[in-house]
Amino acid sequence: MILVFGSVNLDLIVPVPSLPAPGETVLGEGLRSEPGGKGANQAVAAARDGARVRFAGAVGDDSFAASALVTLREAGVDLSLLATVPAPTGVAMICVDPAGRNQIAVAPGANRLVRASQIAEDDLGAATTLLLQMEVDAEETALLIARARARGARIVLNLAPPLPLPREAVAAVDLLIVNEGEAAALALRLGTDAAPAALRRALGGPDVILTRGEKGAVAATAAGLIDQPAFAVAASDTTAAGDTFSGVLAAALDRGQDLALALRRAAAAAALACTRPGSQGSIPDAAATEALLARGENTPGLP
């Protein structure tokens, strides 16, 4: 089972001709809304890839809550650990340019009130893969990591956004996922290089995966480096690509795949997410991911 502890938002998405510079107003080409939040996105990605998923997070008692939860429910994610709290449901405001690049601002709202105590000790045993991000309170995330480590769960941490987390908490996870900006921020705090092997040595524990967009991903493990090329697709919106990668990677590991195979599957799913607009609406199912895997990394585009 995968247990996701994280955020759920309603995303407000504006396609723009160019991303705004500081102080600049850019007129968009419409507005759409859809469910989002890094935790919820990753839960949907894992569920669509075939995993059994439970989600622990929080929404407000407001009009946004039902809309924010629609895709989680459709994907079959267990929401029995979800809390309704006295704060607004989280909202993300996303600008997307024609190249698929984005700028995102988040009003966390109810996500600030997610608590590790929502999860019982029995949910953190060796059969659980705990998937974490950084859009909920860092102290609560650190508490949950310590509890999960003591109970023997597999712990996967996507350090996004790259907010401070105690070194001992990061070092206690089994697998750390960072992009280039997150790796640089962590390296600065650790006093080391941003390469995944250097981060792994500095932390002294977890394997480290560095995602690099169109340059693919590389994993640093005790056995050495695993290099995973990106799948060649025509990208239109990268909003949920990183969350798709993390969720599908966790699902593959939870099924017992080794890291190299899980990495390839996650890269394929993330590539597909880049070809579709939006947040959770862009996340592929297992059949689509397997079709791209069959075509290979050098696929020139999608039919």
Side-chain angles (χ1 to χ4, degrees):
M1 183 190 72
I2 293 176
L3 175 56
V4 179
F5 179 75
S7 58
V8 56
N9 294 324
L10 186 66
D11 289 352
L12 304 178
I13 304 165
V14 182
V16 291
S18 61
L19 297 178
E24 180 184 16
T25 298
V26 175
L27 295 181
E29 300 170 4
L31 171 70
R32 67 178 186 274
S33 64
E34 67 174 277
K38 296 192 72 64
N41 292 350
Q42 292 180 15
V44 168
R48 285 187 179 160
D49 201 56
R52 176 173 167 243
V53 183
R54 298 184 77 188
F55 178 77
V59 294
D61 184 13
D62 56 27
S63 60
F64 281 172
S67 297
L69 298 173
V70 165
T71 312
L72 285 165
R73 296 189 192 281
E74 290 177 349
V77 175
D78 180 343
L79 298 179
S80 58
L81 300 179
L82 182 79
T84 300
V85 298
T89 298
V91 173
M93 291 145 284
I94 304 171
C95 293
V96 182
D97 75 6
R101 298 171 298 184
N102 59 62
Q103 288 179 342
I104 304 174
V106 177
N111 295 310
R112 294 195 185 279
L113 299 180
V114 178
R115 295 293 179 258
S117 58
Q118 292 170 227
I119 297 173
E121 293 298 309
D122 288 347
D123 293 326
L124 296 172
T128 296
T129 296
L130 178 65
L131 181 56
L132 305 160
Q133 324 75 36
M134 295 297 294
E135 285 187 340
V136 299
D137 186 89
E139 291 185 5
E140 296 296 320
T141 298
L143 285 172
L144 190 57
I145 288 172
R147 289 174 55 203
R149 180 79 289 136
R151 296 282 296 175
R154 176 194 284 119
I155 308 169
V156 179
L157 171 64
N158 177 210
L159 196 69
L163 301 176
L165 191 65
R167 182 182 186 135
E168 60 271 20
V170 182
V173 309
D174 296 287
L175 182 61
L176 176 67
I177 304 170
V178 288
N179 65 20
E180 291 173 302
E182 293 151 6
L186 179 60
L188 185 63
R189 292 199 291 271
L190 296 176
T192 189
D193 186 79
L199 294 173
R200 186 177 187 279
R201 284 193 300 271
L203 290 167
D207 291 341
V208 177
I209 295 177
L210 175 67
T211 60
R212 303 175 296 172
E214 68 278 6
K215 295 179 288 184
V218 61
T221 74
L225 297 179
I226 304 171
D227 188 25
Q228 173 58 54
F231 285 73
V233 296
S236 62
D237 186 346
T238 61
T239 299
D243 293 333
T244 300
F245 181 97
S246 296
V248 172
L249 184 81
L253 293 172
D254 193 63
R255 285 194 296 271
Q257 287 191 334
D258 66 30
L259 184 57
L261 288 175
L263 195 63
R264 187 167 184 264
R265 187 176 186 88
L272 285 172
C274 293
T275 68
R276 306 168 180 179
S279 303
Q280 290 171 18
S282 73
I283 298 170
D285 61 17
T289 300
E290 287 160 8
L292 182 56
L293 285 167
R295 289 197 288 270
E297 286 93 340
N298 295 321
T299 303
L302 294 173

